[in-house]
Amino acid sequence: MSEDHPSTTAHRSWFDRLSQALSGEPRNIEELLEELRQAQANGLLSNDTLSMVEGAIEVNDLTVADVMVPRGQVVSLAANAPFKDNLAIVIESGHSRFPVHGDEKDEILGILLAKDLLRCLAEGVTADIRLLLRPVALIPASKKLNILLKEFRLSHNHMAIVVDEYGGVAGLITIEDVLEQIVGDIDDEHDDDYDESRQMTELDGHWLVNALTPIAEFNERFGSNFLDEEFDTVGGMITAEFGHLPETGEEISLGGFDFHVSKADDRRVHQFTVRVHAN
């Protein structure tokens, strides 16, 4: 009987350990991840595959609140607004789905698909968008992401509205937001190395400010007096001031500060470059 090649023996040994990890009584997650990382080091898994497996495991510990688009950055449509105004928002934002509200933004009537609106245009009809609405799913911010992903798959919904304990809109989440936790964010070539986990970073006379920075923290750092009654974050406040979801490169002045959108995508603003007006 021929002897096994050393590398073959090493691979079998790893498969034996992995089989043991996946059979019988489950061991802790860290042991399983260690086996997978060892497999990647041995060339049995690619870096991308390992990252996706780690992301899939981490999803079990995340809630909707961890990844949702906050209320201040949600692009929504008013059911009572003129058809042309809503059409302009749809075209400008580039989104495919929009929550539609009644007189109050907390009164969510349904979800409008851009393709349904464009179909009306192709047919030469400017219908009441209430007639085009799809059912909306309302979920709590505490819902686990792995449970939400299963619900998305079963219902074929791609978007849900997140509500707070009082029934008000806290934000929204899409199936893409959940999947990004598994496959990772898709950054373009213009993204820099700024660490978004830091709320505010000073660089050569200006500041990089995370859009999710609480307004209260911004006020404390800069001595400003922006109100946080309607919006909690700098991103929500500035987006509302623009009156639309701003793109990278747009700039606005407010309260003695210049806010330059330095990082944004088609769903939300991520970062501002902020300069303080000279006295």
Side-chain angles (χ1 to χ4, degrees):
M1 180 179 297
S2 61
E3 296 184 358
D4 288 334
H5 189 279
S7 63
T8 303
T9 302
H11 287 180
R12 286 181 179 176
S13 175
W14 179 84
F15 278 120
D16 288 342
R17 295 199 306 274
L18 183 58
S19 297
Q20 181 180 359
L22 297 175
S23 63
E25 288 295 323
R27 302 191 299 191
N28 63 64
I29 294 298
E30 277 307 314
E31 287 189 20
L32 176 57
L33 288 174
E34 183 57 35
E35 295 291 347
L36 293 171
R37 289 165 186 153
Q38 185 61 47
Q40 186 273 330
N42 290 338
L44 298 177
L45 291 177
S46 68
N47 288 333
D48 289 342
T49 300
L50 176 61
S51 295
M52 284 191 285
V53 173
E54 289 178 328
I57 292 174
E58 290 171 0
V59 159
N60 292 325
D61 296 323
L62 296 176
T63 66
V64 167
D66 294 319
V67 302
M68 70 179 185
V69 178
R71 176 190 177 113
Q73 296 188 33
V74 171
V75 179
S76 60
L77 304 176
N80 297 326
F83 185 90
K84 63 180 180 61
D85 291 351
N86 281 327
L87 178 61
I89 294 174
V90 170
I91 294 173
E92 182 178 11
S93 70
H95 295 182
S96 59
R97 293 172 175 80
F98 300 83
V100 176
H101 61 82
D103 293 333
E104 301 293 333
K105 287 194 172 183
D106 287 321
E107 182 192 359
I108 301 299
L109 305 177
I111 301 296
L112 175 70
L113 273 58
K115 66 179 183 181
D116 291 339
L117 194 65
L118 296 177
R119 186 177 296 115
C120 286
L121 281 181
E123 296 172 353
V125 178
T126 55
D128 182 347
I129 64 172
R130 294 172 186 266
L131 304 176
L132 305 175
L133 298 185
R134 308 289 182 98
V136 59
L138 303 177
I139 62 171
S142 59
K143 182 182 285 289
K144 291 286 189 179
L145 280 193
N146 59 333
I147 296 176
L148 177 61
L149 181 57
K150 182 177 180 180
E151 291 177 355
F152 273 148
R153 292 174 58 197
L154 292 175
S155 65
H156 301 292
N157 288 333
H158 286 202
M159 174 184 286
I161 300 299
V162 186
V163 295
D164 59 27
E165 57 186 313
Y166 305 106
V169 174
L172 67 74
I173 188 168
T174 67
I175 191 171
E176 288 86 357
D177 294 322
V178 181
L179 293 177
E180 278 189 352
Q181 302 307 307
I182 299 174
V183 302
D185 292 333
I186 303 174
D187 296 327
D188 63 32
E189 66 273 17
H190 302 295
D191 291 332
D192 53 35
D193 295 327
Y194 170 66
D195 181 2
E196 288 195 9
S197 65
R198 295 176 293 174
Q199 299 281 23
M200 294 173 280
T201 303
E202 186 174 14
L203 293 174
D204 299 327
H206 64 273
W207 289 77
L208 295 180
V209 177
N210 189 325
L212 295 180
T213 300
I215 292 175
E217 289 188 19
F218 187 94
N219 286 339
E220 182 178 355
R221 175 62 188 83
F222 293 101
S224 52
N225 56 0
F226 292 116
L227 299 178
D228 59 359
E229 297 174 356
E230 184 174 1
F231 303 104
D232 297 323
T233 66
V234 173
M237 175 182 69
I238 299 303
T239 299
E241 194 68 22
F242 272 107
H244 64 271
L245 184 65
E247 299 179 355
T248 300
E250 292 193 65
E251 186 169 317
I252 195 169
S253 296
L254 183 67
F257 299 86
D258 291 328
F259 292 88
H260 176 89
V261 180
S262 54
K263 186 176 181 182
D265 57 30
D266 61 359
R267 292 202 306 275
R268 70 189 84 175
V269 177
H270 293 277
Q271 176 189 307
F272 298 100
T273 299
V274 178
R275 297 183 186 276
V276 184
H277 289 176
N279 292 329

